[in-house]
Amino acid sequence: MLVTYDGIVISRRQVGESGVFIDILTDEQGIIEAMAHGANKINSNLLSSSALFSYSTFCMSKSKLRYTVNSAKPKFSFHEIGNDIEKLALASYFAQAVKFCTPSEQPQDSIVRFFAIALFEIMNGRSLGSVKSAFELRYSAELGFAPNLVACDNCGNYECERGMYFLPKKAKIICADCFNKEYDGEYVLLFPETLYAMRNIVFSPLDRCFKFGISEPAEKQLSSVCEKFFLNSVEKSFPALGYFKSLNGGDLRNL
Ligand SMILES: [Zn+2]
């Protein structure tokens, strides 16, 4: 059977002299593992489409055992990410996260578009800390772990002069007037800017969720809150995340 899907290569491994197995992220079938014969040959017409983070239209044959790429037409190139080790580490973290969280051969809602926007934001010089936070929190929401950030879970107030607390394990916010100081679970008193950014990330259309301005202290808080929330939600750690943080000169390492 012949099938055609738009997708992004999120991992690849060489097979033999010149063949490559690629994992392609698609909306229609989740993650597809496909064989690209001869893709590592310098004159192969699959060379660029089988590269990591290639966004292409893949024409494949599907047998009982596997998909085989027959041809591919590039749609957009994110290869530039590979020129910067920090950008590559962050994109690799996103790829590992998506690979872990996306089932094989099951339809997904807009995952390719979301992943493409995230790669685009990495490539185009937005603060990597903010891109990472936006990815973690929005992806948590897309996976069904959305925290309730609309209003205080107790009194329904949208804002509070004394601040809002985020309770990560309960995935909700409580205003300072309602917060019980004897609460013994995890909590963070959010900077107003942090809450504003979190609401933007969760409630904006996909193409706007990465776009927000934030000061440095709030960005650090946002980074810490979003990372912990995401890793707790998916119950997994990712090697590329540790590597990305090790490259960040301590900025993100000590959060
Ligand atoms: Zn309240």
Side-chain angles (χ1 to χ4, degrees), residues 143-197:
L143 290 169
F145 301 113
N148 179 9
L149 299 173
V150 176
C152 169
D153 192 64
N154 189 50
C155 68
N157 277 348
Y158 182 76
E159 280 172 324
C160 173
E161 272 189 11
R162 295 168 56 222
M164 286 279 192
Y165 288 83
F166 179 58
L167 280 47
K169 292 273 164 65
K170 294 186 182 290
K172 62 190 185 187
I173 52 175
I174 297 277
C175 77
D177 293 340
C178 296
F179 183 67
N180 176 1
K181 282 284 181 324
E182 279 161 32
Y183 177 70
D184 61 359
E186 249 183 80
Y187 61 86
V188 185
L189 178 59
L190 297 173
F191 295 123
E193 268 189 277
T194 309
L195 179 57
Y196 180 83

Side-chain angles (χ1 to χ4, degrees), residues 40-72:
N40 259 359
K41 285 187 186 157
I42 198 77
N43 59 353
S44 167
N45 53 13
L46 297 179
L47 185 68
S48 71
S49 294
S50 64
L52 191 61
F53 305 131
S54 149
Y55 183 14
S56 303
T57 303
F58 294 92
C59 299
M60 295 174 279
S61 341
K62 185 186 181 190
S63 69
K64 251 187 184 170
L65 290 176
R66 71 165 52 130
Y67 289 88
T68 304
V69 181
N70 297 329
S71 66

